[in-house]
Every structure is written in structure tokens, then in C-alpha cells.
Amino acid sequence: MLDSLITHIHSSANFLSLEITPSLSASLDSKLLYSLKSFQKVTCFVCTDSPLARLKPSSILSSFKLQNALQKPVICTLSMRDRNSIALCGDILAANELGVRAFLSLTGDPINLGDCKESKGVFEDNSLKLAQIITSLNEGYAFNGKELASKVQKIYNFHTLNSYANNMDTLVNKMSKKLASSECEGFFTQPVYERKSAEFLLHNLQKLNAKYNRNVELILGYYPILSFKAALFLRDKLPGVFVPEDFITRLESAAEIGKEEEEKVGFELSSKLLLELQTLSNKFHFMNPDKFKLFEHFF
């Protein structure tokens, strides 16, 4: 299942992933699973790892349960925030036998954003360290250099990438570092709200692929904005995201008229954006895990 997913990602076929954040519960939501099974256009699911440092069930065990229940591949998000190298290496090794073998490497959001402020972030290193652990395991060695008694099934690593920076060249440098230091199948970007940002990232990744002899894909993050409040949150609270002033002003004016008008304008702006981005790429990651009906509207 996972091996065919990787082949699909690197092909010219449409790729569409859907983000899932498990609820704070000991079991999966049966209604949610029933709904997700109907999403035939989804290529794979991406299970988050306590996003914004808000406590959720284990991303590895949730990915295992989701993959079995949905019979579709799941990319498991792993954060350096909550685990050191010993825990990460051990978790990935154990997950391998369960069939959880695709990971999205994150440094992780800071604790002060979340709902567990008495906790302490580990942050032993950034996401590059996690990617290097995966590369080492694929080569037959634990992160401490000890040889594995039995080889792992191939583990696939993905990186995240901001969609915007005041100096866009810093994003190119980050891509270059990640490509040079470890295996990588693709970059999942933060939500993209400008055509020129997508063009910049696609163009520079193409150049870097040629430089490093890689075939890494760019998967554009897509998060429709349907309210003025959401636009402000994304602009002010989500690092690496740029929301154009046109989005802000038009949604603000619509909000003054009423909720219905606000949503109407949000749908118009988000639909227009998606059509523009689809002229550049056919690989997208839908990032609103709380509103799956929106996914059906846009895709």
C-alpha cells in the first residue's frame, strides 16, 4: 500500500492528501471513519501529531488504526517537540512492523501555543535529525550506530516547508539543506495563498532536484478561508503563511454585512485561488481537519 503510494506521488497523476487530527478519545470516531471512506478522490491521509501543541492521541498508533480502518495509506506526522532520539528511533522501529512506514518530519509547535502549558518541550534538535534517523534505519543502523538485528521495511520520509518568508531565498536554503542531508520523498507546504509563492517554490525545487539528482515532489497546502477571523489567525498566528491584503479587506467588509455574505466571499476567494494553483500543480494537501464537508465542496 505505501510502496504504491510513493510510486503514485512521483508520477504525473493527481495527488490529493487529507489531514486528520484524532479527537481526544480512546477510540476512533465511527461516524468520522464512515465519512472518510466515501472520499474516493483522496490518495492518502496525513495523521497529525498534537498540532499547535494541543494534546491528542499518539500519531503512530492513530495512523495504524486509521490505515487499517480506511484501507488507504496514512502518512504519520512526528514531532521533535515531544520525543528525544531514543524515543523517536524506538517508535519508528516498532511502527515498522505495524506497517506505519511513511512519516512527515516536524520540529513541532512551541508548548506555549497549546493546552498543556505545564509540559516541557524536548526539542533535542530540528526535523533534520528525525529525517537522518530514518535514513540511518533504512541503511540498517539505529541512530547510535548499532546495526539492526533485522532490516526494516523501507521507511519513507517527508518534510514540511513554509509557503512564505520575508526573504524567500531562506526557503530555498531550507529546501537545499533538507535535500542534502537526508532521504526525502516530498515537501508538504504550509497553506499557499498566492500564485507567485507557489511558482517560486516549484521553480526552485526543480532546480534543486537537478542539483542533487533527486525527484522530490512539492505538495501544496490548501486551507480555504471562509471568515475574517480565520484570515487574521492564519496571517498573525501561523508562521510561514502569507494571506494577501485583498483576502483580509474583502472578508472584513463581508463580515460587517453578515455571516452569510462572509462565507460567500470566502468561498469565492478560496475557489479562485484553487483554480489558479491547479494551473501550476496537481498535488495538494487539504488542511482543515475539522470541516471535511469543505473538502467535498472544493475537490
Side-chain angles (χ1 to χ4, degrees), residues 18-22 28-42 44-46 66-67 69-72 74 286 288-289 291-293 295-296:
L18 177 60
E19 186 170 278
I20 302 177
T21 295
L28 294 175
D29 185 336
S30 57
K31 289 183 180 179
L32 171 64
L33 290 175
Y34 180 80
S35 174
L36 293 174
K37 284 179 180 178
S38 69
F39 291 173
Q40 298 301 314
K41 292 182 179 179
V42 174
C44 76
F45 298 95
V46 177
L66 286 166
Q67 196 160 265
L70 299 171
Q71 287 301 296
K72 276 197 173 180
V74 175
F286 188 83
N288 193 330
K291 296 181 179 177
F292 291 118
K293 288 185 178 179
F295 173 84
E296 294 181 302

PDB file of all heavy atoms in Angstrom, residues 18-22 28-42 44-46 66-67 69-72 74 286 288-289 291-293 295-296:
ATOM      1  N   LEU A  18      -5.401  14.273   2.632  1.00  0.00           N
ATOM      2  CA  LEU A  18      -6.359  14.891   3.551  1.00  0.00           C
ATOM      3  C   LEU A  18      -5.844  14.767   4.972  1.00  0.00           C
ATOM      4  O   LEU A  18      -5.504  13.670   5.429  1.00  0.00           O
ATOM      5  CB  LEU A  18      -7.722  14.212   3.415  1.00  0.00           C
ATOM      6  CG  LEU A  18      -8.846  14.685   4.341  1.00  0.00           C
ATOM      7  CD1 LEU A  18      -9.146  16.164   4.126  1.00  0.00           C
ATOM      8  CD2 LEU A  18     -10.109  13.857   4.101  1.00  0.00           C
ATOM      9  N   GLU A  19      -5.771  15.884   5.668  1.00  0.00           N
ATOM     10  CA  GLU A  19      -5.259  15.909   7.038  1.00  0.00           C
ATOM     11  C   GLU A  19      -6.319  15.424   8.018  1.00  0.00           C
ATOM     12  O   GLU A  19      -7.481  15.809   7.942  1.00  0.00           O
ATOM     13  CB  GLU A  19      -4.843  17.342   7.371  1.00  0.00           C
ATOM     14  CG  GLU A  19      -4.149  17.501   8.704  1.00  0.00           C
ATOM     15  CD  GLU A  19      -3.552  18.884   8.847  1.00  0.00           C
ATOM     16  OE1 GLU A  19      -2.446  19.095   8.322  1.00  0.00           O
ATOM     17  OE2 GLU A  19      -4.197  19.756   9.447  1.00  0.00           O
ATOM     18  N   ILE A  20      -5.883  14.579   8.948  1.00  0.00           N
ATOM     19  CA  ILE A  20      -6.766  14.083  10.015  1.00  0.00           C
ATOM     20  C   ILE A  20      -6.110  14.353  11.359  1.00  0.00           C
ATOM     21  O   ILE A  20      -4.945  14.003  11.569  1.00  0.00           O
ATOM     22  CB  ILE A  20      -7.023  12.572   9.893  1.00  0.00           C
ATOM     23  CG1 ILE A  20      -7.631  12.217   8.537  1.00  0.00           C
ATOM     24  CG2 ILE A  20      -7.944  12.099  11.018  1.00  0.00           C
ATOM     25  CD1 ILE A  20      -7.822  10.731   8.350  1.00  0.00           C
ATOM     26  N   THR A  21      -6.854  14.962  12.253  1.00  0.00           N
ATOM     27  CA  THR A  21      -6.401  15.125  13.637  1.00  0.00           C
ATOM     28  C   THR A  21      -7.290  14.278  14.540  1.00  0.00           C
ATOM     29  O   THR A  21      -8.485  14.548  14.649  1.00  0.00           O
ATOM     30  CB  THR A  21      -6.465  16.595  14.088  1.00  0.00           C
ATOM     31  OG1 THR A  21      -5.533  17.370  13.312  1.00  0.00           O
ATOM     32  CG2 THR A  21      -6.100  16.728  15.558  1.00  0.00           C
ATOM     33  N   PRO A  22      -6.752  13.217  15.156  1.00  0.00           N
ATOM     34  CA  PRO A  22      -7.583  12.368  16.021  1.00  0.00           C
ATOM     35  C   PRO A  22      -8.173  13.186  17.169  1.00  0.00           C
ATOM     36  O   PRO A  22      -7.527  14.091  17.703  1.00  0.00           O
ATOM     37  CB  PRO A  22      -6.585  11.329  16.552  1.00  0.00           C
ATOM     38  CG  PRO A  22      -5.419  11.382  15.623  1.00  0.00           C
ATOM     39  CD  PRO A  22      -5.347  12.780  15.123  1.00  0.00           C
ATOM     40  N   LEU A  28     -11.402   5.617  17.812  1.00  0.00           N
ATOM     41  CA  LEU A  28     -11.674   6.411  16.619  1.00  0.00           C
ATOM     42  C   LEU A  28     -13.165   6.674  16.496  1.00  0.00           C
ATOM     43  O   LEU A  28     -13.998   5.846  16.860  1.00  0.00           O
ATOM     44  CB  LEU A  28     -11.184   5.678  15.372  1.00  0.00           C
ATOM     45  CG  LEU A  28      -9.667   5.465  15.242  1.00  0.00           C
ATOM     46  CD1 LEU A  28      -9.367   4.625  14.006  1.00  0.00           C
ATOM     47  CD2 LEU A  28      -8.939   6.800  15.164  1.00  0.00           C
ATOM     48  N   ASP A  29     -13.502   7.820  15.967  1.00  0.00           N
ATOM     49  CA  ASP A  29     -14.892   8.216  15.772  1.00  0.00           C
ATOM     50  C   ASP A  29     -15.481   7.420  14.608  1.00  0.00           C
ATOM     51  O   ASP A  29     -15.050   7.569  13.461  1.00  0.00           O
ATOM     52  CB  ASP A  29     -14.935   9.722  15.468  1.00  0.00           C
ATOM     53  CG  ASP A  29     -16.351  10.258  15.365  1.00  0.00           C
ATOM     54  OD1 ASP A  29     -17.270   9.477  15.075  1.00  0.00           O
ATOM     55  OD2 ASP A  29     -16.524  11.475  15.550  1.00  0.00           O
ATOM     56  N   SER A  30     -16.480   6.568  14.880  1.00  0.00           N
ATOM     57  CA  SER A  30     -17.048   5.701  13.840  1.00  0.00           C
ATOM     58  C   SER A  30     -17.742   6.511  12.745  1.00  0.00           C
ATOM     59  O   SER A  30     -17.692   6.156  11.566  1.00  0.00           O
ATOM     60  CB  SER A  30     -18.037   4.700  14.452  1.00  0.00           C
ATOM     61  OG  SER A  30     -19.068   5.380  15.145  1.00  0.00           O
ATOM     62  N   LYS A  31     -18.369   7.627  13.117  1.00  0.00           N
ATOM     63  CA  LYS A  31     -19.028   8.477  12.113  1.00  0.00           C
ATOM     64  C   LYS A  31     -17.986   9.122  11.199  1.00  0.00           C
ATOM     65  O   LYS A  31     -18.195   9.247   9.992  1.00  0.00           O
ATOM     66  CB  LYS A  31     -19.871   9.552  12.805  1.00  0.00           C
ATOM     67  CG  LYS A  31     -21.123   9.029  13.488  1.00  0.00           C
ATOM     68  CD  LYS A  31     -21.941  10.173  14.081  1.00  0.00           C
ATOM     69  CE  LYS A  31     -23.202   9.641  14.754  1.00  0.00           C
ATOM     70  NZ  LYS A  31     -24.000  10.743  15.373  1.00  0.00           N
ATOM     71  N   LEU A  32     -16.877   9.526  11.800  1.00  0.00           N
ATOM     72  CA  LEU A  32     -15.797  10.119  11.015  1.00  0.00           C
ATOM     73  C   LEU A  32     -15.244   9.090  10.031  1.00  0.00           C
ATOM     74  O   LEU A  32     -15.044   9.396   8.850  1.00  0.00           O
ATOM     75  CB  LEU A  32     -14.678  10.602  11.936  1.00  0.00           C
ATOM     76  CG  LEU A  32     -13.380  11.050  11.263  1.00  0.00           C
ATOM     77  CD1 LEU A  32     -13.628  12.269  10.386  1.00  0.00           C
ATOM     78  CD2 LEU A  32     -12.316  11.370  12.307  1.00  0.00           C
ATOM     79  N   LEU A  33     -15.000   7.882  10.493  1.00  0.00           N
ATOM     80  CA  LEU A  33     -14.469   6.838   9.620  1.00  0.00           C
ATOM     81  C   LEU A  33     -15.419   6.553   8.466  1.00  0.00           C
ATOM     82  O   LEU A  33     -14.997   6.390   7.317  1.00  0.00           O
ATOM     83  CB  LEU A  33     -14.219   5.562  10.417  1.00  0.00           C
ATOM     84  CG  LEU A  33     -13.074   5.601  11.424  1.00  0.00           C
ATOM     85  CD1 LEU A  33     -13.023   4.302  12.215  1.00  0.00           C
ATOM     86  CD2 LEU A  33     -11.748   5.853  10.730  1.00  0.00           C
ATOM     87  N   TYR A  34     -16.692   6.492   8.762  1.00  0.00           N
ATOM     88  CA  TYR A  34     -17.702   6.246   7.714  1.00  0.00           C
ATOM     89  C   TYR A  34     -17.664   7.348   6.666  1.00  0.00           C
ATOM     90  O   TYR A  34     -17.722   7.093   5.457  1.00  0.00           O
ATOM     91  CB  TYR A  34     -19.090   6.161   8.344  1.00  0.00           C
ATOM     92  CG  TYR A  34     -20.191   5.910   7.331  1.00  0.00           C
ATOM     93  CD1 TYR A  34     -20.431   4.620   6.847  1.00  0.00           C
ATOM     94  CD2 TYR A  34     -20.972   6.961   6.853  1.00  0.00           C
ATOM     95  CE1 TYR A  34     -21.439   4.381   5.910  1.00  0.00           C
ATOM     96  CE2 TYR A  34     -21.975   6.738   5.925  1.00  0.00           C
ATOM     97  CZ  TYR A  34     -22.201   5.444   5.455  1.00  0.00           C
ATOM     98  OH  TYR A  34     -23.191   5.226   4.528  1.00  0.00           O
ATOM     99  N   SER A  35     -17.523   8.577   7.126  1.00  0.00           N
ATOM    100  CA  SER A  35     -17.456   9.721   6.211  1.00  0.00           C
ATOM    101  C   SER A  35     -16.187   9.667   5.368  1.00  0.00           C
ATOM    102  O   SER A  35     -16.226   9.873   4.149  1.00  0.00           O
ATOM    103  CB  SER A  35     -17.501  11.024   7.013  1.00  0.00           C
ATOM    104  OG  SER A  35     -17.306  12.143   6.184  1.00  0.00           O
ATOM    105  N   LEU A  36     -15.051   9.376   5.995  1.00  0.00           N
ATOM    106  CA  LEU A  36     -13.773   9.374   5.286  1.00  0.00           C
ATOM    107  C   LEU A  36     -13.705   8.280   4.220  1.00  0.00           C
ATOM    108  O   LEU A  36     -13.055   8.448   3.187  1.00  0.00           O
ATOM    109  CB  LEU A  36     -12.623   9.196   6.272  1.00  0.00           C
ATOM    110  CG  LEU A  36     -12.382  10.359   7.247  1.00  0.00           C
ATOM    111  CD1 LEU A  36     -11.310   9.984   8.260  1.00  0.00           C
ATOM    112  CD2 LEU A  36     -11.982  11.623   6.503  1.00  0.00           C
ATOM    113  N   LYS A  37     -14.388   7.165   4.445  1.00  0.00           N
ATOM    114  CA  LYS A  37     -14.371   6.071   3.476  1.00  0.00           C
ATOM    115  C   LYS A  37     -15.016   6.472   2.156  1.00  0.00           C
ATOM    116  O   LYS A  37     -14.761   5.861   1.116  1.00  0.00           O
ATOM    117  CB  LYS A  37     -15.085   4.844   4.057  1.00  0.00           C
ATOM    118  CG  LYS A  37     -14.256   4.096   5.089  1.00  0.00           C
ATOM    119  CD  LYS A  37     -15.009   2.900   5.653  1.00  0.00           C
ATOM    120  CE  LYS A  37     -14.160   2.163   6.680  1.00  0.00           C
ATOM    121  NZ  LYS A  37     -14.883   1.012   7.276  1.00  0.00           N
ATOM    122  N   SER A  38     -15.856   7.502   2.193  1.00  0.00           N
ATOM    123  CA  SER A  38     -16.548   7.934   0.971  1.00  0.00           C
ATOM    124  C   SER A  38     -15.708   8.887   0.127  1.00  0.00           C
ATOM    125  O   SER A  38     -16.085   9.217  -0.996  1.00  0.00           O
ATOM    126  CB  SER A  38     -17.878   8.614   1.340  1.00  0.00           C
ATOM    127  OG  SER A  38     -17.639   9.857   1.991  1.00  0.00           O
ATOM    128  N   PHE A  39     -14.573   9.320   0.646  1.00  0.00           N
ATOM    129  CA  PHE A  39     -13.749  10.290  -0.081  1.00  0.00           C
ATOM    130  C   PHE A  39     -12.852   9.555  -1.080  1.00  0.00           C
ATOM    131  O   PHE A  39     -11.672   9.316  -0.830  1.00  0.00           O
ATOM    132  CB  PHE A  39     -12.897  11.107   0.897  1.00  0.00           C
ATOM    133  CG  PHE A  39     -13.689  12.048   1.770  1.00  0.00           C
ATOM    134  CD1 PHE A  39     -13.079  12.734   2.799  1.00  0.00           C
ATOM    135  CD2 PHE A  39     -15.049  12.257   1.574  1.00  0.00           C
ATOM    136  CE1 PHE A  39     -13.792  13.603   3.619  1.00  0.00           C
ATOM    137  CE2 PHE A  39     -15.776  13.112   2.384  1.00  0.00           C
ATOM    138  CZ  PHE A  39     -15.154  13.788   3.402  1.00  0.00           C
ATOM    139  N   GLN A  40     -13.438   9.218  -2.219  1.00  0.00           N
ATOM    140  CA  GLN A  40     -12.733   8.405  -3.201  1.00  0.00           C
ATOM    141  C   GLN A  40     -11.568   9.139  -3.866  1.00  0.00           C
ATOM    142  O   GLN A  40     -10.638   8.508  -4.374  1.00  0.00           O
ATOM    143  CB  GLN A  40     -13.719   7.915  -4.270  1.00  0.00           C
ATOM    144  CG  GLN A  40     -14.822   7.027  -3.735  1.00  0.00           C
ATOM    145  CD  GLN A  40     -14.279   5.776  -3.056  1.00  0.00           C
ATOM    146  OE1 GLN A  40     -13.395   5.100  -3.582  1.00  0.00           O
ATOM    147  NE2 GLN A  40     -14.793   5.465  -1.867  1.00  0.00           N
ATOM    148  N   LYS A  41     -11.609  10.459  -3.892  1.00  0.00           N
ATOM    149  CA  LYS A  41     -10.560  11.218  -4.563  1.00  0.00           C
ATOM    150  C   LYS A  41      -9.273  11.312  -3.740  1.00  0.00           C
ATOM    151  O   LYS A  41      -8.233  11.709  -4.249  1.00  0.00           O
ATOM    152  CB  LYS A  41     -11.051  12.633  -4.878  1.00  0.00           C
ATOM    153  CG  LYS A  41     -12.147  12.687  -5.927  1.00  0.00           C
ATOM    154  CD  LYS A  41     -12.544  14.129  -6.229  1.00  0.00           C
ATOM    155  CE  LYS A  41     -13.625  14.192  -7.288  1.00  0.00           C
ATOM    156  NZ  LYS A  41     -14.043  15.588  -7.577  1.00  0.00           N
ATOM    157  N   VAL A  42      -9.353  10.946  -2.465  1.00  0.00           N
ATOM    158  CA  VAL A  42      -8.192  11.047  -1.582  1.00  0.00           C
ATOM    159  C   VAL A  42      -7.179   9.952  -1.911  1.00  0.00           C
ATOM    160  O   VAL A  42      -7.509   8.770  -1.955  1.00  0.00           O
ATOM    161  CB  VAL A  42      -8.618  10.933  -0.106  1.00  0.00           C
ATOM    162  CG1 VAL A  42      -7.409  10.889   0.801  1.00  0.00           C
ATOM    163  CG2 VAL A  42      -9.504  12.109   0.276  1.00  0.00           C
ATOM    164  N   CYS A  44      -4.202   9.665  -0.072  1.00  0.00           N
ATOM    165  CA  CYS A  44      -3.759   9.183   1.238  1.00  0.00           C
ATOM    166  C   CYS A  44      -4.189  10.184   2.298  1.00  0.00           C
ATOM    167  O   CYS A  44      -4.628  11.296   1.987  1.00  0.00           O
ATOM    168  CB  CYS A  44      -2.249   8.982   1.274  1.00  0.00           C
ATOM    169  SG  CYS A  44      -1.292  10.515   1.403  1.00  0.00           S
ATOM    170  N   PHE A  45      -4.061   9.764   3.548  1.00  0.00           N
ATOM    171  CA  PHE A  45      -4.375  10.618   4.684  1.00  0.00           C
ATOM    172  C   PHE A  45      -3.086  10.965   5.424  1.00  0.00           C
ATOM    173  O   PHE A  45      -2.113  10.202   5.403  1.00  0.00           O
ATOM    174  CB  PHE A  45      -5.351   9.922   5.633  1.00  0.00           C
ATOM    175  CG  PHE A  45      -6.676   9.609   5.008  1.00  0.00           C
ATOM    176  CD1 PHE A  45      -6.923   8.364   4.445  1.00  0.00           C
ATOM    177  CD2 PHE A  45      -7.675  10.556   4.962  1.00  0.00           C
ATOM    178  CE1 PHE A  45      -8.138   8.066   3.846  1.00  0.00           C
ATOM    179  CE2 PHE A  45      -8.904  10.285   4.369  1.00  0.00           C
ATOM    180  CZ  PHE A  45      -9.126   9.029   3.814  1.00  0.00           C
ATOM    181  N   VAL A  46      -3.082  12.122   6.085  1.00  0.00           N
ATOM    182  CA  VAL A  46      -1.942  12.543   6.893  1.00  0.00           C
ATOM    183  C   VAL A  46      -2.438  12.736   8.322  1.00  0.00           C
ATOM    184  O   VAL A  46      -3.303  13.581   8.574  1.00  0.00           O
ATOM    185  CB  VAL A  46      -1.317  13.846   6.368  1.00  0.00           C
ATOM    186  CG1 VAL A  46      -0.172  14.294   7.283  1.00  0.00           C
ATOM    187  CG2 VAL A  46      -0.805  13.670   4.936  1.00  0.00           C
ATOM    188  N   LEU A  66      -6.043   4.086  11.700  1.00  0.00           N
ATOM    189  CA  LEU A  66      -6.674   4.700  10.531  1.00  0.00           C
ATOM    190  C   LEU A  66      -6.351   3.922   9.250  1.00  0.00           C
ATOM    191  O   LEU A  66      -7.226   3.704   8.403  1.00  0.00           O
ATOM    192  CB  LEU A  66      -6.203   6.151  10.390  1.00  0.00           C
ATOM    193  CG  LEU A  66      -6.789   7.148  11.381  1.00  0.00           C
ATOM    194  CD1 LEU A  66      -5.990   8.454  11.372  1.00  0.00           C
ATOM    195  CD2 LEU A  66      -8.263   7.429  11.060  1.00  0.00           C
ATOM    196  N   GLN A  67      -5.107   3.504   9.116  1.00  0.00           N
ATOM    197  CA  GLN A  67      -4.699   2.778   7.913  1.00  0.00           C
ATOM    198  C   GLN A  67      -5.462   1.463   7.795  1.00  0.00           C
ATOM    199  O   GLN A  67      -5.905   1.087   6.694  1.00  0.00           O
ATOM    200  CB  GLN A  67      -3.189   2.520   7.967  1.00  0.00           C
ATOM    201  CG  GLN A  67      -2.577   2.128   6.642  1.00  0.00           C
ATOM    202  CD  GLN A  67      -1.074   2.356   6.618  1.00  0.00           C
ATOM    203  OE1 GLN A  67      -0.617   3.387   6.169  1.00  0.00           O
ATOM    204  NE2 GLN A  67      -0.315   1.391   7.102  1.00  0.00           N
ATOM    205  N   ALA A  69      -8.437   0.794   9.253  1.00  0.00           N
ATOM    206  CA  ALA A  69      -9.876   1.043   9.129  1.00  0.00           C
ATOM    207  C   ALA A  69     -10.255   1.572   7.753  1.00  0.00           C
ATOM    208  O   ALA A  69     -11.311   1.220   7.210  1.00  0.00           O
ATOM    209  CB  ALA A  69     -10.318   2.041  10.207  1.00  0.00           C
ATOM    210  N   LEU A  70      -9.401   2.420   7.176  1.00  0.00           N
ATOM    211  CA  LEU A  70      -9.738   3.062   5.908  1.00  0.00           C
ATOM    212  C   LEU A  70      -9.188   2.323   4.695  1.00  0.00           C
ATOM    213  O   LEU A  70      -9.596   2.594   3.566  1.00  0.00           O
ATOM    214  CB  LEU A  70      -9.204   4.504   5.904  1.00  0.00           C
ATOM    215  CG  LEU A  70      -9.781   5.412   6.987  1.00  0.00           C
ATOM    216  CD1 LEU A  70      -9.030   6.742   7.021  1.00  0.00           C
ATOM    217  CD2 LEU A  70     -11.268   5.640   6.761  1.00  0.00           C
ATOM    218  N   GLN A  71      -8.237   1.428   4.936  1.00  0.00           N
ATOM    219  CA  GLN A  71      -7.600   0.677   3.845  1.00  0.00           C
ATOM    220  C   GLN A  71      -7.010   1.604   2.794  1.00  0.00           C
ATOM    221  O   GLN A  71      -7.117   1.372   1.581  1.00  0.00           O
ATOM    222  CB  GLN A  71      -8.591  -0.305   3.226  1.00  0.00           C
ATOM    223  CG  GLN A  71      -8.898  -1.507   4.106  1.00  0.00           C
ATOM    224  CD  GLN A  71      -7.643  -2.320   4.448  1.00  0.00           C
ATOM    225  OE1 GLN A  71      -7.013  -2.898   3.559  1.00  0.00           O
ATOM    226  NE2 GLN A  71      -7.277  -2.365   5.724  1.00  0.00           N
ATOM    227  N   LYS A  72      -6.430   2.688   3.285  1.00  0.00           N
ATOM    228  CA  LYS A  72      -5.687   3.616   2.452  1.00  0.00           C
ATOM    229  C   LYS A  72      -4.422   4.008   3.204  1.00  0.00           C
ATOM    230  O   LYS A  72      -4.409   4.011   4.445  1.00  0.00           O
ATOM    231  CB  LYS A  72      -6.515   4.864   2.131  1.00  0.00           C
ATOM    232  CG  LYS A  72      -7.444   4.686   0.947  1.00  0.00           C
ATOM    233  CD  LYS A  72      -7.922   6.017   0.407  1.00  0.00           C
ATOM    234  CE  LYS A  72      -8.712   5.808  -0.879  1.00  0.00           C
ATOM    235  NZ  LYS A  72      -9.202   7.065  -1.446  1.00  0.00           N
ATOM    236  N   VAL A  74      -1.522   5.954   5.123  1.00  0.00           N
ATOM    237  CA  VAL A  74      -1.505   7.098   6.036  1.00  0.00           C
ATOM    238  C   VAL A  74      -0.058   7.524   6.262  1.00  0.00           C
ATOM    239  O   VAL A  74       0.803   6.687   6.558  1.00  0.00           O
ATOM    240  CB  VAL A  74      -2.165   6.747   7.391  1.00  0.00           C
ATOM    241  CG1 VAL A  74      -2.030   7.912   8.366  1.00  0.00           C
ATOM    242  CG2 VAL A  74      -3.629   6.384   7.198  1.00  0.00           C
ATOM    243  N   PHE A 286      -5.079  18.966   1.653  1.00  0.00           N
ATOM    244  CA  PHE A 286      -6.183  19.708   2.255  1.00  0.00           C
ATOM    245  C   PHE A 286      -6.007  19.726   3.763  1.00  0.00           C
ATOM    246  O   PHE A 286      -5.899  18.677   4.401  1.00  0.00           O
ATOM    247  CB  PHE A 286      -7.518  19.068   1.884  1.00  0.00           C
ATOM    248  CG  PHE A 286      -8.706  19.881   2.296  1.00  0.00           C
ATOM    249  CD1 PHE A 286      -9.155  20.927   1.514  1.00  0.00           C
ATOM    250  CD2 PHE A 286      -9.382  19.599   3.475  1.00  0.00           C
ATOM    251  CE1 PHE A 286     -10.259  21.686   1.890  1.00  0.00           C
ATOM    252  CE2 PHE A 286     -10.476  20.349   3.867  1.00  0.00           C
ATOM    253  CZ  PHE A 286     -10.916  21.397   3.069  1.00  0.00           C
ATOM    254  N   ASN A 288      -7.868  21.324   6.498  1.00  0.00           N
ATOM    255  CA  ASN A 288      -8.848  21.712   7.505  1.00  0.00           C
ATOM    256  C   ASN A 288      -9.516  20.467   8.067  1.00  0.00           C
ATOM    257  O   ASN A 288     -10.566  20.034   7.583  1.00  0.00           O
ATOM    258  CB  ASN A 288      -9.898  22.653   6.905  1.00  0.00           C
ATOM    259  CG  ASN A 288     -10.743  23.325   7.981  1.00  0.00           C
ATOM    260  OD1 ASN A 288     -10.961  22.752   9.042  1.00  0.00           O
ATOM    261  ND2 ASN A 288     -11.204  24.521   7.720  1.00  0.00           N
ATOM    262  N   PRO A 289      -8.906  19.838   9.084  1.00  0.00           N
ATOM    263  CA  PRO A 289      -9.396  18.553   9.574  1.00  0.00           C
ATOM    264  C   PRO A 289     -10.733  18.610  10.293  1.00  0.00           C
ATOM    265  O   PRO A 289     -11.325  17.574  10.566  1.00  0.00           O
ATOM    266  CB  PRO A 289      -8.287  18.103  10.533  1.00  0.00           C
ATOM    267  CG  PRO A 289      -7.648  19.364  10.993  1.00  0.00           C
ATOM    268  CD  PRO A 289      -7.718  20.297   9.815  1.00  0.00           C
ATOM    269  N   LYS A 291     -13.430  20.321   9.140  1.00  0.00           N
ATOM    270  CA  LYS A 291     -14.539  20.610   8.216  1.00  0.00           C
ATOM    271  C   LYS A 291     -14.365  19.800   6.938  1.00  0.00           C
ATOM    272  O   LYS A 291     -14.044  20.327   5.878  1.00  0.00           O
ATOM    273  CB  LYS A 291     -14.590  22.115   7.917  1.00  0.00           C
ATOM    274  CG  LYS A 291     -14.894  22.965   9.147  1.00  0.00           C
ATOM    275  CD  LYS A 291     -14.970  24.445   8.813  1.00  0.00           C
ATOM    276  CE  LYS A 291     -15.298  25.263  10.053  1.00  0.00           C
ATOM    277  NZ  LYS A 291     -15.321  26.725   9.771  1.00  0.00           N
ATOM    278  N   PHE A 292     -14.641  18.495   7.048  1.00  0.00           N
ATOM    279  CA  PHE A 292     -14.435  17.617   5.914  1.00  0.00           C
ATOM    280  C   PHE A 292     -15.435  17.874   4.783  1.00  0.00           C
ATOM    281  O   PHE A 292     -15.166  17.546   3.632  1.00  0.00           O
ATOM    282  CB  PHE A 292     -14.498  16.158   6.364  1.00  0.00           C
ATOM    283  CG  PHE A 292     -13.341  15.753   7.231  1.00  0.00           C
ATOM    284  CD1 PHE A 292     -13.532  15.328   8.522  1.00  0.00           C
ATOM    285  CD2 PHE A 292     -12.047  15.817   6.735  1.00  0.00           C
ATOM    286  CE1 PHE A 292     -12.457  14.958   9.324  1.00  0.00           C
ATOM    287  CE2 PHE A 292     -10.961  15.444   7.523  1.00  0.00           C
ATOM    288  CZ  PHE A 292     -11.171  15.019   8.815  1.00  0.00           C
ATOM    289  N   LYS A 293     -16.580  18.451   5.105  1.00  0.00           N
ATOM    290  CA  LYS A 293     -17.549  18.752   4.045  1.00  0.00           C
ATOM    291  C   LYS A 293     -16.989  19.793   3.077  1.00  0.00           C
ATOM    292  O   LYS A 293     -17.345  19.819   1.904  1.00  0.00           O
ATOM    293  CB  LYS A 293     -18.867  19.245   4.651  1.00  0.00           C
ATOM    294  CG  LYS A 293     -19.666  18.136   5.335  1.00  0.00           C
ATOM    295  CD  LYS A 293     -21.020  18.628   5.808  1.00  0.00           C
ATOM    296  CE  LYS A 293     -21.805  17.491   6.447  1.00  0.00           C
ATOM    297  NZ  LYS A 293     -23.132  17.947   6.933  1.00  0.00           N
ATOM    298  N   PHE A 295     -13.990  19.821   2.067  1.00  0.00           N
ATOM    299  CA  PHE A 295     -13.161  19.059   1.134  1.00  0.00           C
ATOM    300  C   PHE A 295     -13.994  18.634  -0.073  1.00  0.00           C
ATOM    301  O   PHE A 295     -13.558  18.774  -1.223  1.00  0.00           O
ATOM    302  CB  PHE A 295     -12.592  17.834   1.840  1.00  0.00           C
ATOM    303  CG  PHE A 295     -11.857  16.895   0.931  1.00  0.00           C
ATOM    304  CD1 PHE A 295     -10.536  17.118   0.618  1.00  0.00           C
ATOM    305  CD2 PHE A 295     -12.508  15.791   0.386  1.00  0.00           C
ATOM    306  CE1 PHE A 295      -9.854  16.260  -0.243  1.00  0.00           C
ATOM    307  CE2 PHE A 295     -11.833  14.928  -0.469  1.00  0.00           C
ATOM    308  CZ  PHE A 295     -10.511  15.166  -0.778  1.00  0.00           C
ATOM    309  N   GLU A 296     -15.192  18.134   0.175  1.00  0.00           N
ATOM    310  CA  GLU A 296     -16.050  17.692  -0.915  1.00  0.00           C
ATOM    311  C   GLU A 296     -16.475  18.857  -1.787  1.00  0.00           C
ATOM    312  O   GLU A 296     -16.678  18.696  -2.997  1.00  0.00           O
ATOM    313  CB  GLU A 296     -17.273  16.971  -0.345  1.00  0.00           C
ATOM    314  CG  GLU A 296     -16.931  15.658   0.354  1.00  0.00           C
ATOM    315  CD  GLU A 296     -18.144  14.964   0.892  1.00  0.00           C
ATOM    316  OE1 GLU A 296     -18.870  15.569   1.710  1.00  0.00           O
ATOM    317  OE2 GLU A 296     -18.384  13.807   0.492  1.00  0.00           O
TER     318      GLU A 296
END
